[in-house]
Amino acid sequence: MQRINRSTWIVLLAALLLPLVSMIIVPLYDTSEPRYAEIARIMAQSGDWITPWFSPELPFWGKPPLSFWAQALSMKLFGFTEFAARFPSWLCLILSNAILLAGLRLLHGLRIALLATIVYSTCLLVYISSGAVLTDPFLALGTTLSLISFAVVIHESGQRIEITGNLVGKSIGVGPARGSVWWQYGFFLGLAVGLLAKGPLAAVLSLAPIAVWYLLNRRRSSLVSALPWLKGLALVAAISLPWYIVAELKTPGFLDYFIVGEHFRRFLDPGWKGDLYGTAHKQAYGTIWLYWLQASFPWGTMLLATLVGAFVSTRLRAAVRIASTTSLFYYWLAGAVVTPLFFTFSANILWTYVLPSLAGFSVLTAILADHIYRQLGLSKRGFLITAGVVPVAVLVLSAVVWVNPDLRNTERELIRYASQDGDFSIPLVYLSKTPFSAQFYSAGKAREIQPSELGSAIKCSAPFYLAIPKERQSTVENMTGKPLIVLYSNKRYVLVKVSPLSNCSAQAIAKQQPISLQSQHLPNNADSIIVN
């Protein structure tokens, strides 16, 4: 694997571009993606760039606004589509890869830099999240920038870590080199990005690998002089602190819920019931490692197989031992494991939480792969084939979804059917609760109606579309006194058209519905959006 040829660059380019296909053809599936997309849509339409709104009457205190800012701007540029909502996450992938290439080229050379970007881009979670409406890609962008920036600063200031067995290597000089100024402040810029993407957790995940570096290197003066801490922290505060202050002033209670609730109670209280926007995800302690294995597939599986193989193969064991002497090897190891370690004893977790660990893991894997392939004289063909597993699998699944978009829970096709004329001249209501995907695809026009209100709505003369959960279809038929003619059906709902018998206004159908978007000071043309 000493030479870098065209095929290696082609694999990386394909890994970066193929997510665009899925971003265009795969609908938003409930609940996470359309929920965040709807928050961004409301922000774009309302012009409220301070407070994200979970619904027009409920502020969203669960996350800082960086991802919503990017998604809302993308929607203003590209329209209210799946691609527009997902595009900022893809940009995070591109920027993260640019950071990895630029930094690792200085640290380990172009070959390892290129291998690391291929590993990173083709990890299952990285690949999926690069084409999804999530906040985590922005956190990963910030932590990756901080992780790489600190390593470059230490390298360029002469701080070399060479670990052989239990021997911690030597320090050559103190103080940053002139060329590392951008990387010095890049570290703090990464912290600011993380604080605006996910909150204080970003600082913990960014500083922990540095703490490991310090414990191994044991040179406090080197750590203090490597970065402009006072100016850098002032930069972090200048970028991130104003929003936190303004957000609390605009919607009092935000800081208590976000700092205390989301950062302590969520993880320490199993089944935390204080979540305002969903349900806590209670898992057994240690489940994060299973998530890490899934998120890093196929490379995590390959790495474990390599380590197991090193116990029985002398040549493989020697290659792993030599790789472990590489400069900053244990810094990358800390970057790979600190996040799952942090969440090992957390009660409420998701697999997306391990995303920040995959940058360090990718560098570690690239170093090991390079040494193993060179020591054993292997072809890189197996490496490139492994890199194609996730992109090919996702592309095939995307094609299946393109043929059958209602394979999972989404309301895109139902909304399109109900708005065939490009408008909702006939109101659309969902029985009991409107799914997030229906809210997004209808631009907030789909309403909900409770079973207790349905009887009076049926008596009105204005026709309306009614989306009924399939298990409640017979109940509605009993209320109407006649069989329902199903116009459209997806995985969860059947769509019928109700033509009531007696007279009442069309507004009576939705009089109990949530506050309209107009009450949130939307522009006058907010209701003119056509569902694509």
Side-chain angles (χ1 to χ4, degrees), residues 434-511:
T434 308
F436 288 110
S437 58
Q439 295 177 32
F440 177 80
Y441 285 115
S442 69
K445 295 183 179 70
R447 305 295 186 176
E448 66 183 48
I449 189 168
Q450 297 304 314
S452 59
E453 303 161 351
L454 185 58
S456 59
I458 290 176
K459 297 177 182 179
C460 297
S461 61
F464 63 96
Y465 288 120
L466 178 64
I468 310 168
K470 288 185 174 180
E471 65 274 11
R472 293 191 178 186
Q473 186 175 349
S474 60
T475 302
V476 176
E477 287 180 343
N478 292 335
M479 295 180 66
T480 60
K482 56 184 179 181
L484 299 175
I485 300 177
V486 176
L487 303 176
Y488 187 87
S489 175
N490 62 20
K491 189 174 182 180
R492 293 179 294 182
Y493 294 92
V494 294
L495 181 69
V496 301
K497 186 176 181 180
V498 178
S499 300
L501 301 177
S502 59
N503 293 325
C504 72
S505 64
Q507 287 77 10
I509 297 172
K511 66 180 180 180

Side-chain angles (χ1 to χ4, degrees), residues 395-450:
L395 189 62
V396 170
L397 289 175
S398 298
V400 172
V401 169
W402 181 60
V403 174
N404 184 13
D406 289 327
L407 193 62
R408 292 179 58 205
N409 296 335
T410 182
E411 301 306 302
R412 185 182 70 178
E413 303 305 314
L414 188 150
I415 295 296
R416 285 178 174 176
Y417 185 94
S419 59
Q420 293 181 26
D421 57 356
D423 195 4
F424 286 89
S425 55
I426 300 177
L428 170 63
V429 294
Y430 276 77
L431 186 59
S432 294
K433 186 172 180 60
T434 308
F436 288 110
S437 58
Q439 295 177 32
F440 177 80
Y441 285 115
S442 69
K445 295 183 179 70
R447 305 295 186 176
E448 66 183 48
I449 189 168
Q450 297 304 314

Side-chain angles (χ1 to χ4, degrees), residues 296-309:
S296 63
F297 179 84
W299 302 106
T301 304
M302 296 288 290
L303 180 62
L304 289 180
T306 299
L307 296 179
V308 171

Side-chain angles (χ1 to χ4, degrees), residues 26-169:
V26 176
L28 300 177
Y29 287 113
D30 287 305
T31 56
S32 293
E33 267 206 293
R35 175 176 63 178
Y36 291 136
E38 177 65 0
I39 291 172
R41 186 192 67 81
I42 293 175
M43 177 177 284
Q45 288 188 288
S46 68
D48 185 348
W49 298 92
I50 296 175
T51 302
W53 291 88
F54 188 73
S55 64
E57 69 276 4
L58 179 64
F60 183 69
W61 289 343
K63 301 289 187 297
L66 180 59
S67 62
F68 304 125
W69 287 342
Q71 291 152 10
L73 288 172
S74 180
M75 289 179 189
K76 282 186 168 293
L77 181 63
F78 298 113
F80 295 87
T81 64
E82 301 99 337
F83 176 81
R86 292 164 171 161
F87 184 68
S89 293
W90 183 77
L91 286 181
C92 287
L93 173 68
I94 300 301
L95 291 174
S96 295
N97 273 279
I99 293 166
L100 287 167
L101 273 174
L104 294 176
R105 184 173 184 175
L106 295 173
L107 295 167
H108 300 296
L110 179 59
R111 182 176 59 254
I112 288 180
L114 186 57
L115 298 182
T117 54
I118 290 176
V119 172
Y120 183 74
S121 302
T122 57
C123 283
L124 180 61
L125 179 57
V126 175
Y127 192 86
I128 291 176
S129 64
S130 70
V133 190
L134 295 171
T135 60
D136 302 273
F138 291 84
L139 171 63
L141 173 62
T143 55
T144 298
L145 178 55
S146 294
L147 182 78
I148 299 297
S149 294
F150 182 79
V152 172
V153 170
I154 293 301
H155 173 80
E156 292 195 351
S157 63
Q159 304 299 323
R160 302 280 301 191
I161 302 175
E162 297 178 0
I163 304 177
T164 306
N166 295 322
L167 177 63
V168 178

